[in-house]
Amino acid sequence: MTHGVALQRVALHTRLKPGKEAEYESVHAVIPPELDEALREAGVRSWRIWRDGLDLFHVVEVEDYAKMRAALRDHPANIPWQARMSELLDVEDDYSGGDSGLGLVWELP
């Protein structure tokens, strides 16, 4: 349980390769159960993705974003998933694990 654990909310931006929109949505219709389990074990509580054309915007609620990325980097459930995503996403937006998300500009208090 996450009672008492402050969650980080991290926004991400990735970009699809042209013509991969429908395939990306189809692949995300149901993610593999082992990936779902790995994400949850790594502290992810919520991951939402919106699409505008080729642009993808993600909001991740996680206990510790950097720790989650490190835990998933070589996870057996994540490796084939990221290989599949590399077929759909622009090369510059690969899963390197070194990012800290988009910087927050404004939030309604």
Side-chain angles (χ1 to χ4, degrees), residues 10-70:
V10 180
L12 306 169
H13 172 251
T14 54
R15 190 161 172 83
L16 289 169
K17 292 177 181 176
K20 298 296 185 177
E21 302 90 336
E23 188 176 353
Y24 182 87
E25 291 189 15
S26 174
V27 167
H28 278 80
V30 178
I31 67 166
E34 59 275 10
L35 180 61
D36 181 287
E37 182 179 337
L39 289 166
R40 293 175 192 280
E41 286 176 358
V44 176
R45 296 296 167 252
S46 172
W47 194 314
R48 294 177 176 93
I49 304 172
W50 291 264
R51 184 175 68 79
D52 181 21
L54 297 177
D55 293 299
L56 300 167
F57 301 94
H58 312 242
V59 174
V60 184
E61 291 182 334
V62 60
E63 293 170 14
D64 183 322
Y65 182 71
K67 191 174 177 180
M68 177 270 292
R69 294 292 290 237

Side-chain angles (χ1 to χ4, degrees), residues 73-84:
R73 186 174 299 114
D74 298 318
H75 194 287
N78 192 43
I79 292 171
W81 180 259
Q82 293 308 321
R84 181 70 173 108

